[in-house]
Amino acid sequence: MIQVDTLLNEFVAFEKVLESQEIGNGNINDTYRVVLLMPNGNTAEYILQRLNHQVFAKPFQLMHNQVSVAKHLRQNKRYPLQIAEPIPTFKQNWLHVDASGNHWRLFSYIGNSFTPEGLVDPACVREAAHAYGTFALALSDFPVELLHETIEGFHDTDRRWNQFMEILKYDKLGRTNLAKPEIESILALKPLFDQISKLKKTLPVRVTHNDTKAGNILFDRITHKALAVIDWDTIMPGTVLSDFGDMVRTFVPNMPEDAPASEITLRKDVLNALLEGYCEATSGFLNSAEEEHLFLGGLWMTGEQAMRFLTDFLEGDVYFKTTQPMHNLQRTRNQLRLLDMLQTL
Ligand code: GN1
Ligand code: MG
């Protein structure tokens, strides 16, 4: 049990915690919605989050990115979306490190909102893609060189490939026997990864979000319009192909990424909605090479994610949260099947 009161005391003055509930289904951090009774008798809602400092090895650099981006967006009068504002501790830090070394942060809560669970209909998809495009456009004049890479080589597929090769070579846990066909399928992706690697060198380096799934958009409960882009932990320099690609990977299949591979079907109307929403928001800002290769980003992200899940399986499930022994292998199979299907579009 986490000591919510003790943690919150570092950030805000309040009378009492009225509600505290774990929310979201992220694979990395732990997120709580808290409702507090304030000294003036009002209630106030916040998001309290434990930042996984094993995954994000430089938490203070990460917060520096977020605070700078928040400031930039706040100053941009034309940015139409809300911002989950980071709230400093009383000691003026963006993170509170507890006695066990856990890193905690607090964000303002964006009310009357929801994050979609399960399948998202094309109207919401279009809205989400438009919001991610709006976010990218609003950050197009942010000095990208000021951003830290919050996870080194996050979408450096060549580097992930080399790590995968190392793991295959040593097979420390003896798990390669359990994943022979999946390993073969990943090895066959080398030409795709090489194509991306070459193309990336020709594309502009932009501020990218790097986790552009439906669950990272807050929607208005009543109008179903996008209210905010959240989860800024992987904001770093990159290419728009990975942001659009992760939308293709996560929105287009009719199943979550850990469903049995045989059940996946693709939703073409959703792909069209993604293209419409994203291209409308970014028109005149993306160059022609970026626009032309948006869909290739989907193949790239799906192939890379398959390799990431398989890497984690072979390493003993040390990165992504798992709820069953073969979880990462099932996710790998799902992503490989998805990639096959996307390649036929
Ligand atoms: C992780 O925790 P979550 O679900 O926001 C991961 C993403 C993966 C995703 C796959 C920092 O994101 O890159 O695409 O799982 N985030 C990090 O579900 O590695
Ligand atoms: Mg995330």
Side-chain angles (χ1 to χ4, degrees):
M1 257 316 265
I2 62 153
Q3 290 296 320
V4 176
D5 295 57
T6 319
L7 295 166
L8 287 165
N9 272 326
E10 298 290 330
F11 295 89
V12 274
F14 62 96
E15 293 291 324
K16 195 172 155 193
V17 179
L18 298 175
E19 281 175 49
S20 152
Q21 161 203 29
E22 187 159 5
I23 58 164
N25 46 13
N27 283 326
I28 309 286
N29 297 324
D30 304 322
T31 309
Y32 304 84
R33 172 183 162 270
V34 294
V35 184
L36 306 183
L37 177 64
M38 305 306 274
N40 63 6
N42 292 341
T43 58
E45 285 173 274
Y46 293 94
I47 292 294
L48 175 70
Q49 197 174 47
R50 188 182 76 83
L51 178 71
N52 183 326
H53 63 279
Q54 258 91 36
V55 168
F56 298 106
K58 295 184 175 152
F60 286 89
Q61 288 192 353
L62 176 151
M63 289 311 292
H64 176 269
N65 280 1
Q66 295 197 6
V67 171
S68 323
V69 165
K71 186 172 171 208
H72 190 86
L73 293 179
R74 217 181 297 123
Q75 286 170 349
N76 179 343
K77 296 280 171 282
R78 290 206 306 242
Y79 183 62
L81 301 171
Q82 297 183 47
I83 299 167
E85 295 282 354
I87 294 167
T89 65
F90 286 117
K91 293 180 187 143
Q92 295 303 309
N93 292 317
W94 295 109
L95 289 160
H96 164 66
V97 184
D98 71 15
S100 323
N102 290 314
H103 289 58
W104 294 92
R105 59 194 173 168
L106 195 70
F107 293 102
S108 63
Y109 184 82
I110 297 179
N112 294 317
S113 65
F114 72 97
T115 50
E117 297 280 342
L119 276 192
V120 186
D121 65 51
C124 274
V125 171
R126 195 182 181 290
E127 194 54 30
H130 195 275
Y132 282 124
T134 302
F135 185 77
L137 175 69
L139 290 169
S140 59
D141 60 345
F142 183 95
V144 68
E145 65 282 1
L146 297 185
L147 289 180
H148 300 283
E149 216 183 11
T150 60
I151 295 180
E152 213 184 329
F154 192 55
H155 285 319
D156 182 345
T157 315
D158 295 339
R159 182 185 157 126
R160 290 193 182 276
W161 175 269
N162 292 337
Q163 286 163 350
F164 184 64
M165 288 303 132
E166 284 289 295
I167 289 161
L168 291 187
K169 193 162 135 197
Y170 296 108
D171 192 19
K172 282 192 191 144
L173 301 182
R175 281 188 162 192
T176 51
N177 265 335
L178 300 170
K180 281 192 175 144
E182 292 76 18
I183 293 171
E184 286 310 313
S185 302
I186 299 289
L187 293 177
L189 297 182
K190 185 76 168 113
L192 170 68
F193 294 152
D194 285 345
Q195 182 190 5
I196 287 294
S197 179
K198 202 166 151 208
L199 176 65
K200 259 167 63 182
K201 296 192 179 89
T202 69
L203 298 175
V205 177
R206 309 242 190 228
V207 179
T208 49
H209 179 281
N210 290 309
D211 198 6
T212 48
K213 57 188 179 189
N216 284 337
I217 297 287
L218 295 183
F219 287 90
D220 187 299
R221 273 188 195 284
I222 295 160
T223 65
H224 287 203
K225 292 283 170 207
L227 289 179
V229 173
I230 58 168
D231 188 358
W232 293 5
D233 292 341
T234 46
I235 289 183
M236 58 184 125
T239 131
V240 292
L241 264 56
S242 58
D243 274 0
F244 189 80
D246 227 16
M247 285 186 236
V248 172
R249 183 183 81 78
T250 54
F251 284 84
V252 174
N254 66 331
M255 292 278 152
E257 66 193 9
D258 52 4
S262 58
E263 291 173 12
I264 305 175
T265 60
L266 297 188
R267 305 187 297 155
K268 279 201 186 147
D269 53 344
V270 162
L271 180 60
N272 290 336
L274 282 178
L275 282 165
E276 264 177 44
Y278 196 70
C279 291
E280 187 184 289
T282 55
S283 93
F285 144 61
L286 297 190
N287 74 23
S288 56
E290 290 174 311
E291 272 178 4
E292 187 189 327
H293 292 107
L294 286 175
F295 182 71
L296 179 64
L299 305 184
W300 170 31
M301 282 299 97
T302 309
E304 186 189 273
Q305 190 67 59
M307 179 162 70
R308 291 178 64 192
F309 284 145
L310 188 53
T311 299
D312 199 32
F313 175 74
L314 297 175
E315 283 198 303
D317 307 316
V318 290
Y319 189 90
F320 297 105
K321 288 182 190 169
T322 52
T323 55
Q324 22 125 342
M326 296 293 155
H327 207 155
N328 274 316
L329 190 55
Q330 173 135 332
R331 287 167 170 152
T332 310
R333 288 181 184 139
N334 173 306
Q335 296 293 286
L336 287 170
R337 172 89 183 116
L338 173 61
L339 177 57
D340 273 350
M341 295 177 83
L342 289 172
Q343 276 169 329
T344 65
L345 279 183

